[in-house]
Amino acid sequence: MSEQGRMTGVDPVSARRRALGLAGLTAASDSGMDRFARLVSRLLRVPVAFVSLVEEDRQILPGLYGLPQPWAAARALPPSHALCRSAVDSGQPLVVPDARTDERLRTSQGAVEDLGVVAYAGMPLTDADGIVLGSLCAVDHEPRTWSDGELSDLEDLAAACSAELCLRILSAQSRSVQKVLETARAGADRARSDAQRLERDAQAGLDHAELLLRASEELARTSGLEDVRRRLRDLFVGAGKPSYVGLLVAEKDELHRVPDPDIEHAVEREVLTMPVTAAFPSARAMRERRPVFVPDREALAADYGPEAVGFFDRMGFTTMLCLPLWGSRSVLGVLAVCWAKRHEVGVTERATLTAASGYIAQAVERALYLDERISVARQLQEAMLTDLPLADPLEISALYQPAAVGDMIGGDWYDAYHLPPASSGGSRALMVTVGDITGHDMHAATIMGQIRSMLRQATLDHPPYSPATALTALDAACSILPVEASGTLVHARLAPAENGPGWTLTWSNAGHPPPLLRAPDGRVTILVEHDILLHRSLGPFLRTEARRDLPPGSTLLLYTDGLIERRGHDIDASIARLGALLARHGDRPPAELLRRISSRPADDAPGDDVVVLALRAP
């Protein structure tokens, strides 16, 4: 028995024969299969494409495009031309740049000579049990190296074609039972009705296959619950399109409806939250963890309370199907599909909707995970970035902009706090810090919180509060403690000048972008003095500090590299541009100054966190 037989427990040849018989495909033109062949030809730009299904002594071609005569009319190929036999036997794609020299097609040289096959790519077509039925094939008359994108497109089309085959098989299976009863009382009129029904089923099957294809593509790119809800609105199309599709997410003992962010629906105005114990079909699907189908109002009144009946009547619903959304560990919520007119949900449609609910559940689980991480990150961000102290007479303002991607938080921070008074009366000295711990995730944020607290303690434990002494103590602690600290920072003290007006700035720079100092006359100085960055592997380091007088009207600007670093831009040029902005707007209130220097085009969202802190000596 082949590998497929061992995996499924059945003879793959018999299973394939039975599946093809149920699918009802023969050596004749099939509009649905021809459509897949045309799509392959169009997407891969090949002259010949066909859907090949393997029988015992031949392969039939229910779908083809560009195949020469007499094969196009016969819709069948003999064993000598059986290109897809290798893919069927192995269950793997067959990709051949040049069939004339490929050893795998040695027994199929008839196809190379008679059909003009040179380059060939075939993707297996399978049924619901994984039995390979044939291949979706692309043929070129010239040697060709198939690109990854072309093979990916062919694989996607093969998946859609396989879904179409599975739906036909399911449709045939569901029809076979009913057909026995229909045959007993069949007549000429019923035969015509059956033909119409088969045509509708074929169209519905195509609609269902397209639904699954859209669901797999659209929902794979969602980023949050709101995005999932928005894409869900346009997912269902075709003859059986529902009048409303609701998404309810479970939280403890309640179901919360996710409202459509763009369209206000009466359902979402009336019922946004319900207990899991509510006498509603959606709550029942959640409680019993199974699909719940309500075919009409009579069935609703028989199984549910008057509140559910009144809700149905107000919303104009007649039929409802509620499907539990299974996550990796539990039921995440319920998908409610509603029709205004009575709608028969057959086996095929229910199977399709159930499969689609699986894609929706994956998107919801991913969205809940991302939303939770963003929520936690924002809470951590608010806890880390405390309010600035009242620094009178100094004016102080700070700004934080999170990165446009990731968990919306990283290792950038600012800090400012008063030092104990040197004597009674007078202005108190102020410590300010701007730093950047390496990383853009929750780990970086937690390390940042540790470093900020350790630096505060090191500063307050070492009067007269030298920035260099505090950083030296921080280095020593990080080299001993298991704190994986890596990053840069500027630690500074602003104290009233000992002689005369103004303030004295003392700072120590651990590998951080240089602070900018604007004099009252508008000239900007780059404070370039710095030591090495902070890293526990560098060991204790004796830090140095620099000092500068700040006459009244001076403005000090501290920032992180997210403000000045741009891909393809020189860092020194960016600092020079920042200095020019400070020179132009440095006499404005600090808060307005920060808004002006941090503004950027809407399509130039920061790829890194941005922290900016401005102080002005009045």
Side-chain angles (χ1 to χ4, degrees), residues 147-369:
S147 69
D148 291 342
E150 291 170 335
L151 295 178
S152 178
D153 288 341
L154 185 59
E155 184 178 9
D156 289 342
L157 288 173
C161 189
S162 295
E164 167 74 4
L165 292 173
C166 291
L167 289 172
R168 293 191 184 198
I169 293 169
L170 286 173
S171 297
Q173 289 172 337
S174 65
R175 291 194 302 270
S176 61
V177 175
Q178 186 177 1
K179 197 170 184 179
V180 173
L181 299 175
E182 293 174 346
T183 303
R185 49 185 182 269
D189 292 340
R190 195 56 181 268
R192 285 193 297 270
S193 176
D194 286 344
Q196 294 172 356
R197 184 176 58 82
L198 289 174
E199 184 178 357
R200 289 194 301 270
D201 286 348
Q203 182 58 50
L206 183 58
D207 290 341
H208 298 157
E210 291 178 353
L211 168 62
L212 293 179
L213 185 59
R214 285 196 307 274
S216 64
E217 292 176 345
E218 288 295 320
L219 297 174
R221 300 192 294 267
T222 55
S223 56
L225 275 180
E226 185 176 286
D227 191 21
V228 173
R229 183 66 184 87
R230 180 181 286 109
R231 293 177 186 268
L232 192 60
R233 182 207 316 143
D234 300 323
L235 195 61
F236 297 85
V237 296
K241 180 180 179 180
S243 57
Y244 176 77
V245 179
L247 177 62
L248 298 97
V249 175
E251 183 177 350
K252 295 183 179 178
D253 295 327
E254 293 182 327
L255 280 175
H256 299 275
R257 190 178 303 277
V258 180
D260 192 311
D262 303 320
I263 298 177
E264 188 175 357
H265 196 280
V267 174
E268 293 159 3
R269 290 198 303 268
E270 183 163 339
V271 180
L272 285 177
T273 300
M274 71 174 71
V276 175
T277 56
F280 274 76
S282 52
R284 183 178 182 182
M286 183 68 196
R287 288 195 306 271
E288 300 181 5
R289 285 163 166 71
R290 66 173 181 85
V292 171
F293 179 61
V294 181
D296 50 36
R297 189 181 186 279
E298 289 72 21
L300 182 75
D303 295 333
Y304 302 93
E307 185 180 359
V309 175
F311 173 73
F312 256 55
D313 291 343
R314 290 192 301 275
M315 297 302 108
F317 297 153
T318 301
T319 301
M320 173 182 281
L321 175 63
C322 296
L323 297 166
L325 298 175
W326 282 95
S328 58
R329 289 172 292 182
S330 63
V331 178
L332 305 172
V334 175
L335 178 71
V337 187
C338 310
W339 291 268
K341 296 181 180 180
R342 183 182 175 94
H343 184 76
E344 297 295 336
V345 182
V347 174
T348 301
E349 184 172 11
R350 181 173 293 203
T352 301
L353 293 174
T354 301
S357 72
Y359 289 116
I360 296 168
Q362 293 176 12
V364 168
E365 186 167 42
R366 183 170 59 252
L368 289 173
Y369 174 74

Side-chain angles (χ1 to χ4, degrees), residues 390-415:
L390 182 63
D392 186 54
L394 290 173
E395 300 175 51
I396 183 171
S397 185
L399 178 143
Y400 174 84
Q401 289 181 334
V405 295
D407 290 334
M408 306 297 287
I409 192 168
D412 293 34
W413 91 95
Y414 61 81
D415 197 9

Side-chain angles (χ1 to χ4, degrees), residues 1-14:
M1 186 178 292
S2 69
E3 183 65 24
Q4 292 180 12
R6 286 193 296 272
M7 293 175 64
T8 61
V10 298
D11 177 19
V13 176
S14 300

